[in-house]
Amino acid sequence: MGIGLKILLIICACCFECRAEDTVTQPTGDVIAFEGESVTLGCDYSTSDTTPYLFWYIQYPNGSPKDILSQNIYNSGVPKAEFKERFDAQVNKASSSVPLTIQKMQLSDSAVYYCALRP
């Protein structure tokens, strides 16, 4: 692989209107990738709710968080139009996770990524 631009992704977790037993966990630390590579960002959740909604957000430097996609555990999430080509997340009910995969990384993907839960 040739020398490419490094892409820095920072991941965070948040939980909206969650009860004490509801949690969202993302691995800590930065993710570094080269342009053109694929990256999967982890997100584990725990809730007693039978139909929680899970969200992924992106926050660019000096910007507000933007919704990438939302889904409940029974339906596949469809990314918003601007993310549809390269972003995908599928809930894994068995492992209570909803990893976000970004295909063909671009320098413009450098941002903070948030996984969130709303029971």
Side-chain angles (χ1 to χ4, degrees), residues 62-74:
N62 302 317
S64 300
K66 281 175 94 170
D67 185 22
I68 297 173
L69 64 82
S70 61
Q71 66 188 80
N72 69 28
I73 63 169
Y74 299 108

Side-chain angles (χ1 to χ4, degrees), residues 1-74:
M1 172 182 272
I3 297 175
L5 295 174
K6 286 186 181 179
I7 299 168
L8 176 64
L9 308 176
I10 301 171
I11 52 178
C12 298
C14 53
C15 194
F16 299 108
E17 301 175 21
C18 289
R19 297 176 296 270
E21 66 273 10
D22 296 332
T23 60
V24 175
T25 307
Q26 291 180 259
T28 58
D30 299 340
V31 175
I32 298 174
F34 289 99
E35 274 190 302
E37 291 182 338
S38 293
V39 169
T40 299
L41 306 177
C43 175
D44 297 322
Y45 65 91
S46 175
T47 182
S48 58
D49 195 309
T50 56
T51 56
Y53 274 82
L54 298 147
F55 302 84
W56 273 101
Y57 294 95
I58 186 170
Q59 184 174 7
Y60 297 108
N62 302 317
S64 300
K66 281 175 94 170
D67 185 22
I68 297 173
L69 64 82
S70 61
Q71 66 188 80
N72 69 28
I73 63 169
Y74 299 108

Side-chain angles (χ1 to χ4, degrees), residues 86-100:
R86 302 181 301 109
F87 289 66
D88 183 52
Q90 300 296 321
V91 173
N92 183 329
K93 290 180 268 190
S95 65
S96 297
S97 64
V98 59
L100 176 69

